Amino acid sequence: MTDRRRSDDYKQISGYIPLDLALEFKSICARLGISQSDAIEEMTQEWIAKKTGSLAKKTQAPKTIADLVQANMAKLKRCGVKNLQALAKGEVLPTPGDFAIITSALAIPEEERKQIWQETFKISVYHDAKGVKLYKDSGGVKEDECEYS
């Protein structure tokens, strides 16, 4: 995950809000397991969308599952998918079920889901009667097999 303090892609913002609001905000973030930075980023995007009628400009569409999870960590923490930190770092891959939960929660269209899945696995795809089988590219050796449904 990006170290936001040292990244040129992030900027600190600050402001003053009533004490009771600040305490409630911190409590809810802790209870949900969401970083305050992720919550503020989500709220800022929603506020900008509300004020301008459009979404905050994203730098680039996510290409892999790790990119997708990293960009949407706050929303996904409420969906019950485990290992989000490891998924965001690309240390582990989601099960097909978790991938379905992630992409459904984020309303990712089917074609984009397939592209993200394929980019993540760098796979070769072939169709058969059971669906699409995906293989991790390892120089012609089948390391892992899972079915995308």
Side-chain angles (χ1 to χ4, degrees), residues 66-136:
D67 295 338
L68 185 66
V69 171
Q70 193 173 41
N72 297 283
M73 186 71 77
K75 282 184 181 177
L76 295 173
K77 284 188 177 181
R78 295 175 274 191
C79 294
V81 175
K82 296 182 180 183
N83 298 323
L84 283 177
Q85 294 291 339
L87 285 168
K89 292 177 186 176
E91 296 173 345
V92 298
L93 294 169
T95 64
D98 281 345
F99 181 69
I101 292 169
I102 289 166
T103 54
S104 293
L106 300 173
I108 306 292
E110 182 63 24
E111 196 56 40
E112 193 175 337
R113 291 178 191 206
K114 289 178 184 177
Q115 289 173 351
I116 291 169
W117 184 269
Q118 290 173 1
E119 184 64 31
T120 299
F121 284 93
K122 300 283 186 199
I123 52 161
S124 60
V125 178
Y126 74 91
H127 295 274
D128 70 1
K130 296 179 184 174
V132 177
K133 293 199 180 205
L134 308 174
Y135 294 95
K136 190 174 183 180

Side-chain angles (χ1 to χ4, degrees), residues 13 29 52:
I13 61 172
C29 287
T52 65

Side-chain angles (χ1 to χ4, degrees), residues 18-103:
L19 178 62
D20 60 335
L21 187 59
L23 293 174
E24 185 175 5
F25 171 73
K26 289 180 179 202
S27 173
I28 292 170
C29 287
R31 187 170 58 246
L32 295 175
I34 298 172
S35 76
Q36 292 176 37
S37 290
D38 285 342
I40 290 169
E41 182 177 345
E42 182 180 338
M43 289 185 295
T44 303
Q45 287 174 342
E46 290 174 7
W47 183 84
I48 289 171
K50 181 179 174 183
K51 296 297 182 185
T52 65
S54 66
L55 292 176
K57 187 177 181 181
K58 291 278 187 183
T59 55
Q60 191 177 37
K63 291 184 179 180
T64 65
I65 295 169
D67 295 338
L68 185 66
V69 171
Q70 193 173 41
N72 297 283
M73 186 71 77
K75 282 184 181 177
L76 295 173
K77 284 188 177 181
R78 295 175 274 191
C79 294
V81 175
K82 296 182 180 183
N83 298 323
L84 283 177
Q85 294 291 339
L87 285 168
K89 292 177 186 176
E91 296 173 345
V92 298
L93 294 169
T95 64
D98 281 345
F99 181 69
I101 292 169
I102 289 166
T103 54

Side-chain angles (χ1 to χ4, degrees), residues 4-15 37 40:
R4 294 179 182 193
R5 289 180 191 252
R6 292 175 180 73
S7 175
D8 291 335
D9 295 328
Y10 289 86
K11 181 74 176 158
Q12 181 179 356
I13 61 172
S14 64
S37 290
I40 290 169

